[in-house]
């Protein structure tokens, strides 16, 4: 299996995972069939479309390649028909979202490198590929996007993209390198959910008002 095939598989598996998370989230909000399919496609392909526009891959694969739409619709159908089984997973949206996060961070970074862009842009667009669809989902469903909260979300995508870019610059192009980078991202994301890891926040100091009674 050559490298192009590996990253295409990563992209499609990530599309499926993200579509599942979007479809389940839409189903939980009691959207109709069209709404579920629309949100699933938005989550699955939104970040990749933004990435492709930025790197000049026009038209974006999410719009021009039928496999992405078919994968998204298949995931939507599974989420609808097997919804009781999917719900048995603990927080299924977060679980599938974590898988899609890792897969898209790696494939997004690698595709940017293939199109001749530097490491910095590859890492940034890897993050955009990973978090873009989730942001769109949360906005449409009237939820606070995960990247704006204290959760380790974009940071996990950053790790996956950095590892993948580092492997590419070191000329480590073995079949296992993208899977290792993906695993690192997914592991950090799931571990943060399990152990409750959060990014630090800066709290405003309470002003003490001193009244002079003299």
């Amino acid at each position: 299996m050559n490298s192009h095939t590996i990253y295409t598989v990563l992209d499609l598996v990530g599309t499926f995972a993200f579509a599942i998370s979007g479809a389940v989230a839409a189903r939980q909000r009691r959207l109709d069939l069209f709404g579920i399919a629309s949100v699933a496609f938005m989550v699955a392909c939104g970040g990749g479309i933004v990435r492709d526009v930025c790197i000049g891959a026009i038209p974006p694969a999410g719009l021009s390649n039928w496999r992405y739409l078919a994968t998204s619709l298949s995931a939507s159908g599974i989420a609808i028909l097997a919804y009781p089984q999917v719900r048995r997973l603990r927080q299924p949206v977060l679980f599938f979202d974590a898988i899609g996060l890792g897969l898209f961070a790696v494939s997004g970074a690698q595709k940017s490198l293939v199109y001749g862009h530097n490491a910095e842009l590859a890492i940034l667009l890897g993050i955009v590929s990973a978090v873009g669809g989730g942001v769109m989902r949360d906005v449409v469903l009237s939820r606070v996007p995960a990247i704006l909260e204290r959760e380790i979300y974009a940071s996990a995508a950053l790790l996956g993209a950095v590892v993948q870019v580092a492997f590419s610059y070191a000329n480590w192009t073995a079949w296992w390198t993208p899977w290792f980078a993906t695993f690192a991202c997914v592991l950090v994301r799931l571990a943060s959910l399990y152990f409750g890891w959060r990014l630090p926040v800066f709290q405003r100091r309470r002003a003490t008002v001193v009244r002079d009674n003299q």
Side-chain angles (χ1 to χ4, degrees):
M1 183 180 293
N2 58 39
S3 59
H4 176 73
T5 303
I6 291 174
Y7 292 109
T8 300
V9 170
L10 280 174
D11 221 24
L12 289 174
V13 174
T15 297
F16 183 84
F18 264 148
I20 286 284
S21 74
V24 172
R27 178 70 172 78
Q28 290 173 343
R29 289 301 181 100
R30 300 183 181 277
L31 271 63
D32 61 13
L33 183 61
F34 179 78
I36 294 173
S38 298
V39 172
F41 179 78
M42 185 185 304
V43 177
C45 299
I49 290 173
V50 173
R51 173 203 63 209
D52 287 352
V53 170
C54 290
I55 66 177
I58 304 298
L63 298 177
S64 62
N65 191 330
W66 64 269
R67 294 180 180 87
Y68 290 88
L69 178 60
T71 301
S72 174
L73 292 177
S74 299
S76 300
I78 292 173
I80 293 171
L81 297 176
Y83 183 69
Q85 289 74 26
V86 174
R87 284 193 62 187
R88 292 176 184 174
L89 291 172
R90 184 176 180 269
Q91 297 180 313
V93 173
L94 295 176
F95 176 76
F96 287 106
D97 191 68
I99 296 175
L101 186 77
L103 292 166
F104 267 31
V106 172
S107 64
Q110 182 61 28
K111 187 170 185 178
S112 300
L113 291 175
V114 169
Y115 273 76
H117 298 287
N118 59 27
E120 179 184 359
L121 186 61
I123 292 171
L124 290 175
L125 290 181
I127 297 172
V128 170
S129 301
V131 307
V135 171
M136 295 178 187
R137 173 200 63 212
D138 292 340
V139 170
V140 169
L141 298 181
S142 302
R143 306 191 313 190
V144 177
I147 62 171
L148 300 181
E149 297 182 318
R150 296 173 57 192
E151 293 186 7
I152 296 178
Y153 189 73
S155 303
L158 172 63
L159 174 63
V162 167
V163 171
Q164 177 59 31
V165 170
F167 280 149
S168 296
Y169 271 73
N171 291 322
W172 290 1
T173 56
W175 65 268
W176 56 268
T177 54
W179 299 108
F180 180 87
T182 300
F183 177 77
C185 174
V186 175
L187 179 63
V188 169
R189 174 58 178 159
L190 293 179
S192 70
L193 293 172
Y194 183 81
F195 293 107
W197 296 342
R198 296 289 187 271
L199 294 175
V201 296
F202 297 94
Q203 296 181 352
R204 183 182 301 175
R205 293 183 178 180
R206 294 182 179 180
T208 302
V209 179
V210 179
R211 295 183 180 179
D212 187 0
N213 296 323
Q214 296 180 352

